[in-house]
Amino acid sequence: MTRSPLLPGGEIALTGVDLPDGALILAVHHVGRDDAVLVRSAIRGTTGRRPWLGLVMPTRSVPWGTSARSRALAVLRQSGLVVLFPENAIAPGDGVFKGDVEVAHLALETGVPVVPAVITGDRGALRVGEPMDFSRHAETPHSRAVLRAVTDEVMEAISTLAGLPYRDIPAPAARQEASAARRDRSRARRAHRAAARQQLILERQEVRAQAAVEAADLAQAAILARERAKVQAREAALADRLRAAGITPGVIHEADRPDAA
């Protein structure tokens, strides 16, 4: 396939399997706000066809309703090309998510093929997979179980094309899970930082307490040293007075002996 130069800033490639002629549903994995612009540019620049994006806005899928479904069915019955994002929301980057059963409703109601497609990670190409034929369900009542099975088959094909796991939960719920996980991680980081700050405060308090104990010990040692110095000074003064009086402590003079008489 060729490349379309319609998107400012670069060419958009349409790669993979050639799009079949006639009516078809292009089911695209929704990963970015400009998906609709990329898809329209790739298709029109390569095939010249004008895809109908009545179920798609630049940022999301339009909620399904009687009017939207009727218009999509009319486009398909006129051999048109309908583009939709079955996930109905921008998906987190870790998988392909549960699709809306309306993609199956359109396919089974009109009998047209569903073509899975993904936008490449570099946003430079729209990769197209093999058309999916669900004519085997033509005579089957379109129960909720059948619609769900067909939709899951489409999403599995998109998952294989994207090289991502299929997660059987809606993309909005997955985004909420991812958001909750980010909040939990943020709370855990804040708690860790708070615990680290508290630990630092306790360590500083311990250092200050140890310093206070050491200061008290030094002060007590200084007091004891001063007391010893005072005692030594008094003892020295007493010794000086005794020497001045001719008294030698511990020495008994002859005249003082009891037997001197």
Side-chain angles (χ1 to χ4, degrees), residues 27 29 86-87 95-99 103 114 116-118 129-130 132 134 148-169:
H29 178 41
E87 289 152 305
V96 171
F97 297 87
K98 191 171 185 175
V103 64
V114 178
V118 298
E130 293 285 349
M132 305 177 71
F134 295 105
R148 183 76 265 162
V150 170
T151 302
D152 288 345
E153 190 174 338
V154 171
M155 302 315 294
E156 289 282 3
I158 293 175
S159 169
T160 301
L161 191 63
L164 293 171
Y166 174 57
R167 298 182 61 192
D168 192 25
I169 61 172

Side-chain angles (χ1 to χ4, degrees), residues 191-208:
H192 178 74
R193 288 195 294 267
R197 286 195 297 270
Q198 187 62 32
Q199 181 63 29
L200 181 59
I201 290 171
L202 292 175
E203 290 174 356
R204 289 175 176 172
Q205 290 176 343
E206 185 177 350
V207 169
R208 286 196 292 269

Side-chain angles (χ1 to χ4, degrees), residues 57-170:
M57 295 180 67
T59 59
R60 61 182 173 83
S61 290
V62 177
W64 285 88
T66 302
S67 176
R69 181 185 298 116
S70 297
R71 291 182 63 192
L73 289 171
V75 170
L76 292 172
R77 285 167 179 153
Q78 295 170 9
S79 300
L81 189 162
V82 170
V83 175
L84 54 82
F85 300 139
E87 289 152 305
N88 284 339
I90 295 176
D94 59 347
V96 171
F97 297 87
K98 191 171 185 175
D100 192 307
V101 296
E102 289 295 348
V103 64
H105 179 92
L106 289 181
L108 298 183
E109 184 74 14
T110 60
V112 306
V114 178
V115 178
V118 298
I119 297 169
T120 56
D122 61 2
R123 316 292 287 165
L126 177 66
R127 184 184 304 126
V128 175
E130 293 285 349
M132 305 177 71
D133 179 11
F134 295 105
S135 59
R136 65 184 183 279
H137 296 292
E139 304 302 324
T140 305
H142 299 162
S143 65
R144 183 74 181 182
V146 171
L147 294 175
R148 183 76 265 162
V150 170
T151 302
D152 288 345
E153 190 174 338
V154 171
M155 302 315 294
E156 289 282 3
I158 293 175
S159 169
T160 301
L161 191 63
L164 293 171
Y166 174 57
R167 298 182 61 192
D168 192 25
I169 61 172

Side-chain angles (χ1 to χ4, degrees), residues 38-58:
L38 296 177
V39 171
R40 182 175 59 245
S41 297
I43 294 173
R44 290 186 63 181
T46 302
T47 69
R49 300 183 68 176
R50 298 175 62 89
W52 188 74
L53 291 96
L55 299 171
V56 173
M57 295 180 67

